[in-house]
Amino acid sequence: TNTQLPTRRLPNILITGTPGTGKTTMSELLSAATSLQHINVGDLVKEKSLHEGWDDEFQCYIVDEDKVCDELEDIMNRGGNVVDFHTVDFFPERWFDLVVVLRTENGVLFPRLEARQYSSKKIEENVTAEIMQVILEDARNSYREDIIVELSSNTVEDMEANVEQVREWAEEWVKARMQ
Ligand code: ADP
Ligand code: MN
């Protein structure tokens, strides 16, 4: 058959969550603590124009999901990536070995988004999405329950513990495949 099992030696990890929950911060720290490569999908979309223009209403790029998947296919097959993005439902399920969903309390998330100079509409939308756990639900609809981990990202201590937990998970993943 054409179905091939993943042969990667290093895992691929998806770090997702509502804007402001700490995806990029966590991905950078994790990448610095391991040999995993951070891929900031939002930046990639901008740099490589993997979009269909700017959405004025939602103040964001209209992502060309097929182009993003084509761009990342070989990189993901090689393994060893930390993929940082807030939309999860269009990536192939087979790409990921672990899906981390970061969660932040609304009273903590609100000032983080304010500090980003987001419009009040955009702040409101994101805080509501976080309360409704939209991204967690999307992740559950897209990946197996046993590869999803939901982590609190309210404090710096949370962040440090989360990086350490995922670093240890990656180390175990590699060990389990070395024999
Ligand atoms: P995202 O990539 O999910 O939009 P960022 O990593 O850019 O989020 O984080 C947004 C802001 O919140 C940054 O200023 C970051 O330093 C801060 N931040 C993120 N996570 C935490 C945390 N767990 N504790 C304290 N500050 C955090
Ligand atoms: Mn980010």
Side-chain angles (χ1 to χ4, degrees), residues 15-28 38 40 84-86 102-104 108-109 111-113 115-116 118 152-160 162:
I15 301 200
T16 190
T18 305
T21 52
K23 299 180 293 296
T24 300
T25 308
M26 177 166 178
S27 301
E28 282 171 352
H38 177 200
N40 184 325
D84 158 7
F85 204 43
H86 56 267
L102 296 180
R103 302 301 312 280
T104 302
V108 176
L109 186 60
R112 283 189 200 163
L113 296 175
R116 277 187 171 176
Y118 276 11
S152 290
S153 179
N154 296 307
T155 64
V156 172
E157 290 72 29
D158 289 341
M159 176 65 70
E160 286 167 356
N162 294 343

Side-chain angles (χ1 to χ4, degrees), residues 126-143:
N126 282 309
V127 171
T128 304
E130 180 59 7
I131 294 167
M132 304 288 284
Q133 48 187 59
V134 170
I135 293 182
L136 180 63
E137 290 304 321
D138 286 350
R140 285 178 174 155
N141 289 325
S142 305
Y143 303 97

Side-chain angles (χ1 to χ4, degrees), residues 97-177:
D97 304 293
L98 184 72
V99 175
V100 174
V101 183
L102 296 180
R103 302 301 312 280
T104 302
E105 287 163 17
N106 42 329
V108 176
L109 186 60
F110 194 96
R112 283 189 200 163
L113 296 175
E114 264 187 327
R116 277 187 171 176
Q117 320 286 333
Y118 276 11
S119 66
S120 39
K121 179 172 173 270
K122 197 164 171 176
I123 295 175
E124 186 61 38
E125 275 164 9
N126 282 309
V127 171
T128 304
E130 180 59 7
I131 294 167
M132 304 288 284
Q133 48 187 59
V134 170
I135 293 182
L136 180 63
E137 290 304 321
D138 286 350
R140 285 178 174 155
N141 289 325
S142 305
Y143 303 97
R144 291 196 334 262
E145 185 69 33
D146 61 314
I147 71 160
I148 301 174
V149 45
E150 184 185 0
L151 298 173
S152 290
S153 179
N154 296 307
T155 64
V156 172
E157 290 72 29
D158 289 341
M159 176 65 70
E160 286 167 356
N162 294 343
V163 171
E164 183 52 20
Q165 185 180 329
V166 176
R167 191 194 63 75
E168 281 170 17
W169 173 91
E171 205 172 75
E172 289 306 313
W173 191 97
V174 172
K175 263 193 217 153
R177 282 158 185 81

